[in-house]
Amino acid sequence: MKKLICFILVIVFTFSFSACGGTERTVGENDVKKSYAPASEIDPMDIFFDYHKNQVTAEETHIGQRYKITDVKVSNITEEYVYITQEIDMGQYCIKLIYDKSQLDYVKTITTGDTITFEGTLTNILFGSIFTPELTFEKVIFVEKSE
């Protein structure tokens, strides 16, 4: 009888732990929810410096990671992506944000020149030229807009 009770408890605990999943984030102003892994805050320049030091290691370290990037300015908005261009000492860098259609209502509230914070999964690091490196993020959630 003790073995049966222990077995039932093991099953109950297994199901109770499996019910715990990823985090839910409120996205945009329309309260659409998606589950994504927690995002680590990072400065895009850290990714570019890592890439400059060792492309293979940087791609292995950063591609597929979920990051939060704060206070970047919007330079272009389309129905498929939001584009960020940031001036730096050596020129500029670009960030392409490919967002889910559930974010479209929020995207309609931002304009060129707005400062935003977003979370997304890094899918590509591109160095077409040393003065215009580009990051591509997918599964983007817009966290906030600053005036």
Side-chain angles (χ1 to χ4, degrees):
M1 186 65 163
K2 289 181 183 178
K3 289 182 182 180
L4 178 64
I5 292 172
C6 288
F7 180 71
I8 291 172
L9 284 174
V10 167
I11 291 174
V12 169
F13 282 130
T14 302
F15 284 114
S16 66
F17 287 131
S18 66
C20 301
T23 60
E24 284 196 1
R25 304 277 319 215
T26 301
V27 290
E29 295 174 354
N30 57 358
D31 291 329
V32 176
K33 294 191 177 184
K34 291 267 185 191
S35 292
Y36 294 115
S40 304
E41 196 161 331
I42 194 166
D43 181 340
M45 290 304 297
D46 293 342
I47 298 170
F48 294 129
F49 287 139
D50 288 349
Y51 191 88
H52 183 67
K53 287 186 238 175
N54 185 323
Q55 179 180 347
V56 175
T57 305
E59 287 178 351
E60 190 175 280
T61 302
H62 296 293
I63 298 290
Q65 296 300 311
R66 191 139 184 93
Y67 290 120
K68 178 179 182 179
I69 297 181
T70 60
D71 299 330
V72 289
K73 287 197 182 220
V74 174
S75 61
N76 190 21
I77 303 166
T78 73
E79 278 193 48
E80 290 136 16
Y81 62 84
V82 172
Y83 211 67
I84 307 294
T85 305
Q86 186 73 37
E87 297 295 324
I88 54 176
D89 292 339
M90 302 174 292
Q92 67 181 5
Y93 67 79
C94 302
I95 303 173
K96 186 175 186 177
L97 308 176
I98 301 172
Y99 59 89
D100 187 89
K101 294 298 178 192
S102 66
Q103 295 285 285
L104 187 57
D105 287 339
Y106 184 80
V107 168
K108 290 177 182 178
T109 70
I110 59 178
T111 59
T112 301
D114 282 349
T115 301
I116 63 168
T117 296
F118 72 91
E119 292 181 7
T121 303
L122 183 64
T123 58
N124 193 23
I125 305 169
L126 178 65
F127 265 76
S129 118
I130 194 162
F131 297 109
T132 345
E134 180 178 300
L135 301 175
T136 302
F137 285 88
E138 294 183 14
K139 300 176 185 171
V140 171
I141 295 174
F142 296 97
V143 176
E144 73 179 339
K145 173 177 76 169
S146 303
E147 297 296 326

